[in-house]
């Protein structure tokens, strides 16, 4: 297969999406069907066609979503990328795994899945809390790079209805989200299992089991007499292939995320299975947001599978909504043209300007997969950090998707609950300044602007600048109302808004008749000069984290 995943057909090179429309007798031998047909309609599986996309109003207005980045890798409660790093000899996860489960030549990630039971999972209870905290949409993880599907998957036997919890995780989340009036989304990460799991092909270089292969090369025949008899480990690990160049180096995977720099490129069978799994997921659970943990779209640029999935989502969604497109696709590191086709997602970071297209930042109050060490070390983000991030992102035309790590048993701990409750208390007073708003002429002012860190790769500039303080202000607007979100309570009791001074370029024709503080009854005393609008706050604070001024 060449790097564009184009199959050779009659009369030359034919795109694989086109082949899927052909009758069986006309398909070339390399075709792996049958599979899920791509929904037809306005959108074709090309970047040019996807540029017809327009972000739906509900998503532009939503501003805030909560994510359950929850799957089998949460079972050890030992942080992110466990299923890869547990095979990295000498690493922290490797040592932890040997102590808790055994050596990875005998007890691999498949055995971690076997122990995951999700016995205390109550999606209705969690969604009730998230709704109160102001979430307008909810995202659930359908699969991670570990290749385990958290739903009733037609194409992947290694799924949560057959193994581990033996529950339809996505189905349960979807029902609870819709019962609470939240838009439902799924995150999909499994396209990378092919290279991500390559550590499972290794063996120890030292010690008594040196040279004994880990379980990444096991086959279905090896399972006779085991708990996994009848299941093929290669369907999970996908390691019946040569290692990528430089795979012994721990950082190689990041340089090969776009299937370049020596990455072993997946087969057409692997790619088509991923396509079928994802379209089956979309058809069964009808998500309105699909988040891809990929540069642009999954398997791009070696395949058009991601383009086909995006076109299918948009077309099938329009059919369900009487011709109106209500769907959103999130992808990372997008070109300006690709930002017209889908919604740009920045991981653990923020843009430093008002973006012309709606975008999203995704971040987590702890580790992506639940990590007991974060809990024990009191290292969760505070409600203040979350609220400051939300105000900053919304002021720049963005949405915040916040992950609240879920424990192995399906619950969240009391410290996480306190964070969410803190967000809820702020939203109860100030949500008017967030939901349904649009950016103002400038997004903000204050010292933090001067130390803003640039984006790196997927994002990752979070927390690298100066912390927000009382002089930092973020602006949003709704109709004729301007909101100034002040990131702290000034010691002087006076807020000075420089961008509303009569000489400020942003002020232009902005009149100021009255200023109110949310949570306080009655107008505030104001003084407008050429340099700033000065607002005298009441003697007592009205809340925590950030304080919103309503300006008319």
């Amino acid at each position: 297969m060449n790097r564009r995943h184009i199959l050779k057909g009659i009369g030359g090179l034919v795109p694989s999406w086109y082949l899927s429309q052909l009758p069986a007798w006309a398909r070339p031998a390399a075709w792996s069907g049958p599979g899920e047909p791509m929904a037809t309609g306005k959108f074709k599986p090309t970047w040019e066609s996807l540029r017809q996309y327009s972000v739906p109003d509900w998503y532009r207005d939503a501003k805030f979503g909560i994510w359950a980045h929850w799957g089998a890798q949460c079972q050890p409660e030992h942080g992110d990328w466990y299923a890869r790093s547990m095979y990295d000899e000498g690493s922290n996860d490797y040592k932890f795994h040997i102590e808790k489960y055994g050596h990875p030549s005998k007890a691999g990630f498949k055995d971690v899945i076997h122990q995951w039971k999700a016995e205390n999972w109550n999606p209705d209870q969690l969604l009730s809390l998230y709704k109160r905290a102001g979430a307008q949409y909810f995202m659930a993880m359908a699969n991670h790079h570990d290749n385990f599907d958290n739903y009733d998957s037609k194409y992947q036997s290694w799924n949560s209805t057959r193994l581990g919890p033996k529950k339809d995780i996505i189905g349960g989340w979807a029902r609870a989200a819709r019962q609470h009036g939240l838009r439902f989304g799924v995150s999909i990460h499994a396209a990378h299992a092919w290279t991500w799991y390559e550590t499972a092909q290794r063996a120890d270089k030292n010690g008594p089991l040196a040279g004994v292969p880990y379980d990444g090369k096991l086959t279905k025949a090896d399972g006779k007499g085991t708990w996994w008899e009848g299941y093929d480990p290669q369907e999970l690990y996908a390691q019946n292939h040569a290692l990528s160049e430089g795979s012994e180096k721990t950082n190689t995977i990041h340089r090969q995320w776009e299937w370049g720099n020596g990455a072993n490129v997946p087969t057409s069978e692997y790619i088509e299975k991923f396509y079928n799994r994802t379209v089956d997921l979309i058809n069964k659970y009808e998500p309105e947001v699909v988040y891809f943990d990929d540069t642009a779209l999954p398997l791009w640029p070696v395949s058009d599978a991601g383009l086909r999935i995006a076109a299918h989502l948009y077309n099938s969604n329009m059919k369900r909504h009487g011709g109106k497109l209500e769907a959103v696709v999130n992808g990372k590191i997008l070109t300006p043209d690709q930002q017209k086709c889908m919604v740009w997602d920045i991981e653990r970071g923020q843009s430093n300007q008002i973006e012309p297209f709606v975008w999203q930042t995704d971040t987590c109050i702890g580790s992506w997969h639940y990590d007991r060490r974060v809990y024990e070390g009191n290292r969760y983000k505070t409600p203040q950090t979350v609220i400051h991030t939300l105000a900053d992102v919304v002021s720049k035309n963005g949405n915040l998707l916040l992950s609240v790590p879920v424990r192995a048993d399906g619950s969240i701990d009391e410290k996480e609950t306190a964070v969410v409750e803190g967000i809820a208390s702020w939203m109860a007073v100030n949500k008017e300044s967030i939901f349904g708003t649009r950016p103002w002429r400038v997004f903000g002012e204050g010292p933090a602007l001067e130390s803003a860190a640039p984006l790196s790769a997927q994002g990752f500039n979070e927390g690298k600048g100066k912390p927000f303080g009382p002089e930092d202000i973020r602006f949003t607007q709704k109709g004729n109302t301007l909101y100034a979100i002040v990131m702290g309570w000034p010691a002087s009791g006076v807020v000075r808004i420089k961008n509303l001074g009569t000489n400020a370029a942003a002020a232009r024709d902005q009149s100021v008749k009255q200023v109110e503080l949310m949570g306080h009854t009655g107008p505030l005393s104001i003084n407008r000069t050429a340099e700033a609008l000065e607002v005298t706050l009441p003697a007592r604070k009205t809340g925590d984290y950030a304080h919103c001024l309503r300006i008319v």
Side-chain angles (χ1 to χ4, degrees):
M1 185 189 75
N2 68 25
R3 294 187 60 80
R4 291 182 59 82
H5 182 50
I6 299 177
L7 304 178
K8 192 169 183 179
I10 300 170
L13 295 176
V14 181
S16 56
W17 68 264
Y18 176 77
L19 295 173
S20 69
Q21 314 300 315
L22 297 176
W25 61 265
R27 296 173 190 157
W31 173 254
S32 61
E36 299 293 316
M38 188 188 77
T40 57
K42 175 180 178 179
F43 294 94
K44 303 295 185 290
T46 66
W47 289 113
E48 181 180 11
S49 180
L50 294 183
R51 282 201 294 269
Q52 301 174 85
Y53 178 71
S54 180
V55 176
D57 288 341
W58 78 260
Y59 187 80
R60 290 173 59 87
D61 292 338
K63 307 302 181 186
F64 183 51
I66 288 182
W67 186 7
H69 190 280
W70 182 51
Q73 284 180 90
C74 295
Q75 203 287 329
E77 299 193 348
H78 212 249
D80 201 29
W81 281 33
Y82 184 89
R84 176 178 167 85
S85 57
M86 58 158 280
Y87 295 106
D88 185 9
E89 184 181 8
S91 71
N92 188 282
D93 284 337
Y94 169 89
K95 295 173 183 176
F96 175 88
H97 186 85
I98 288 178
E99 183 176 339
K100 184 174 177 67
Y101 302 101
H103 193 268
S105 64
K106 299 170 181 163
F109 188 69
K110 68 184 187 310
D111 302 284
V112 175
I113 292 170
H114 185 52
Q115 293 198 25
W116 180 39
K117 302 306 176 189
E119 64 273 17
N120 292 321
W121 178 49
N122 187 333
D124 182 71
Q125 183 182 62
L126 289 173
L127 268 296
S128 177
L129 172 63
Y130 299 160
K131 173 77 171 182
R132 196 155 46 81
Q136 304 295 295
Y137 57 107
F138 175 76
M139 185 86 68
M141 189 172 72
N143 50 47
H144 198 254
H145 313 317
D146 61 20
N147 219 23
F148 186 75
D149 283 350
N150 295 316
Y151 59 95
D152 183 16
S153 180
K154 188 192 302 184
Y155 295 92
Q156 174 66 310
S157 298
W158 292 82
N159 74 68
S160 64
T161 67
R162 297 186 179 197
L163 300 166
K166 296 187 178 177
K167 298 175 182 179
D168 186 351
I169 302 296
I170 292 298
W173 284 128
R175 284 189 297 274
R178 286 163 177 150
Q179 284 170 4
H180 289 279
L182 301 182
R183 302 278 184 158
F184 181 64
V186 293
S187 68
I188 298 166
H189 312 245
H192 292 282
W194 183 270
T195 50
W196 189 81
Y197 255 138
E198 286 185 355
T199 53
Q201 292 195 39
R202 297 179 185 173
D204 282 359
K205 295 180 179 179
N206 306 290
L209 294 174
V212 178
Y214 302 152
D215 71 336
K217 283 287 194 179
L218 290 177
T219 66
K220 188 174 183 179
D222 295 316
K224 189 173 182 180
T226 69
W227 70 262
W228 49 274
E229 184 172 359
Y231 287 88
D232 184 359
Q234 287 313 304
E235 191 181 0
L236 177 70
Y237 297 134
Q239 291 306 300
N240 189 23
H241 62 81
L243 293 171
S244 299
E245 294 176 18
S247 62
E248 290 295 312
K249 299 177 182 178
T250 57
N251 63 348
T252 304
I253 188 74
H254 298 286
R255 296 192 298 103
Q256 297 175 339
W257 214 243
E258 296 177 82
W259 307 101
N261 297 313
N264 186 296
V265 177
T267 62
S268 59
E269 288 77 13
Y270 176 90
I271 290 170
E272 291 310 309
K273 179 177 178 177
F274 175 82
Y275 165 84
N276 286 326
R277 285 164 68 185
T278 307
V279 171
D280 177 44
L281 170 72
I282 292 168
N283 292 344
K284 275 192 174 84
Y285 304 99
E286 300 182 350
E288 285 167 306
V289 187
V290 173
Y291 168 109
F292 288 120
D293 191 6
D294 298 272
T295 301
L297 288 168
L299 298 159
W300 181 261
V302 301
S303 167
D304 65 353
L307 290 168
R308 286 183 279 145
I309 293 167
H312 175 83
L313 175 67
Y314 291 165
N315 289 333
S316 60
N317 181 272
M318 289 181 72
K319 289 176 182 177
R320 288 198 304 273
H321 292 94
K324 184 179 180 181
L325 180 56
E326 294 282 273
V328 174
V329 172
N330 297 139
K332 300 177 179 179
I333 317 182
L334 305 184
T335 67
D337 267 356
Q338 289 168 347
Q339 289 182 42
K340 300 174 184 177
C341 305
M342 53 199 292
V343 173
W344 177 31
D345 178 88
I346 298 176
E347 182 175 347
R348 287 195 187 269
Q350 292 101 270
S351 172
N352 290 323
Q353 63 183 20
I354 297 175
E355 292 292 337
F357 301 106
V358 177
W359 59 285
Q360 175 180 272
T361 185
D362 67 276
T363 191
C364 184
I365 67 170
S367 174
W368 287 122
H369 287 97
Y370 190 90
D371 193 332
R372 190 71 180 174
R373 296 164 296 183
V374 175
Y375 169 83
E376 292 170 349
N378 293 312
R379 290 187 279 118
Y380 289 127
K381 282 184 174 68
T382 63
Q384 175 171 292
T385 297
V386 174
I387 295 303
H388 285 181
T389 301
L390 176 66
D392 183 63
V393 167
V394 171
S395 74
K396 299 167 182 173
N397 204 26
N399 287 11
L400 170 62
L401 176 63
L402 180 70
S403 175
V404 179
V406 180
R407 297 194 63 191
D409 68 359
S411 66
I412 64 172
D413 65 52
E414 78 279 4
K415 295 178 183 179
E416 294 178 286
T417 301
V419 174
V420 179
E421 291 284 7
I423 298 168
S425 68
W426 188 87
M427 286 289 196
V429 175
N430 300 287
K431 62 185 178 182
E432 177 188 329
S433 67
I434 299 296
F435 304 131
T437 63
R438 298 292 182 265
W440 190 50
R441 295 161 184 170
V442 295
F443 69 81
E445 62 181 69
L449 291 182
E450 300 169 6
S451 63
L455 294 173
S456 174
Q458 295 101 310
F460 302 121
N461 64 348
E462 178 182 87
K464 293 182 179 179
K466 185 176 181 178
F468 292 114
E471 295 180 46
D472 293 298
I473 299 169
R474 293 294 179 267
F475 300 107
T476 61
Q477 66 176 346
K478 188 186 300 178
N480 294 322
T481 302
L482 175 66
Y483 302 96
I485 304 172
V486 185
M487 304 297 210
W489 193 270
S492 66
V494 177
V495 175
R496 297 186 78 253
I497 306 175
K498 295 177 182 178
N499 276 292
L500 286 177
T502 54
N503 282 350
R508 292 200 297 271
D509 57 348
Q510 182 75 45
S511 62
V512 178
K513 299 176 183 176
Q514 181 174 293
V515 180
E516 298 173 337
L517 173 65
M518 290 187 184
H520 174 76
T521 302
L524 303 177
S525 174
I526 61 175
N527 178 40
R528 196 177 193 190
T529 69
E531 288 74 31
L533 172 68
E534 298 175 344
V535 181
T536 301
L537 299 176
R540 298 181 63 181
K541 289 174 63 175
T542 54
D544 298 313
Y545 317 139
H547 311 278
C548 184
L549 300 175
R550 183 194 293 115
I551 302 168
V552 292

